[in-house]
Amino acid sequence: MAHSDEELINVAKDVREKAYAPYSDFKVGAAVEAEDGTIYTGCNVESASYGLTVCAERVAIWKGISRGEKKFGRIAVVVDTEELTPPCGVCRQIIWEFCGNVPVILANLHGKSETIMMGELLPRAFDSKFLK
């Protein structure tokens, strides 16, 4: 991988500032690194119709997919909380489906971080192998 954990976290911190979260004020930034080292970013975007809100992790992954990426090596997620905040259930499914069992770097704005494998966050994941 071309970037350090710190670099990936900093990219996610920067994009977090662009989040559109007027209802919850819960801003999230994500940076997913493709296997060739390219970084794709995403921030959460809220809607007044809460069910239409989209998470930062999905924005970052879909941005990479829309640019032709097929393989990702890891993802960093940054939130301004004391306790490190993992991806929601929907994002866990999307990360698993498009990234597989990659390292997920959880970080906050206070310098705390932890890396956990996606398989730990989503054990016994559902994926395309069940559709055959």
Side-chain angles (χ1 to χ4, degrees):
M1 290 176 210
H3 304 279
S4 70
D5 287 357
E6 186 177 331
E7 288 173 314
L8 204 59
I9 289 167
N10 285 334
V11 171
K13 277 183 189 176
D14 288 345
V15 74
R16 180 191 163 277
E17 294 302 318
K18 296 177 179 161
Y20 180 76
Y23 309 109
S24 70
D25 198 35
F26 187 74
K27 295 179 178 183
V28 182
V32 63
E33 185 179 45
E35 286 190 340
D36 71 358
T38 303
I39 296 174
Y40 298 94
T41 61
C43 60
N44 57 316
V45 180
E46 294 181 348
S47 169
S49 177
Y50 294 122
L52 300 179
T53 294
V54 68
C55 299
E57 300 91 328
R58 287 182 278 155
V59 171
I61 291 167
W62 291 335
K63 191 184 290 183
I65 295 291
S66 72
R67 294 199 177 131
E69 292 294 344
K70 301 284 189 245
K71 300 215 180 235
F72 300 96
R74 62 194 171 139
I75 187 168
V77 181
V78 176
V79 181
D80 186 16
T81 55
E82 287 297 324
E83 185 175 345
L84 296 175
T85 305
C88 74
V90 172
C91 287
R92 291 177 195 207
Q93 175 65 35
I94 295 300
I95 294 167
W96 181 266
E97 191 158 338
F98 290 99
C99 304
N101 192 26
V102 298
V104 178
I105 303 164
L106 308 176
N108 64 19
L109 299 183
H110 311 290
K112 188 175 177 184
S113 68
E114 173 187 1
T115 300
I116 186 167
M117 295 304 292
M118 192 58 230
E120 279 188 76
L121 288 172
L122 189 63
R124 297 185 66 174
F126 176 84
D127 59 26
S128 63
K129 71 181 175 204
F130 295 104
L131 300 176
K132 296 183 187 244

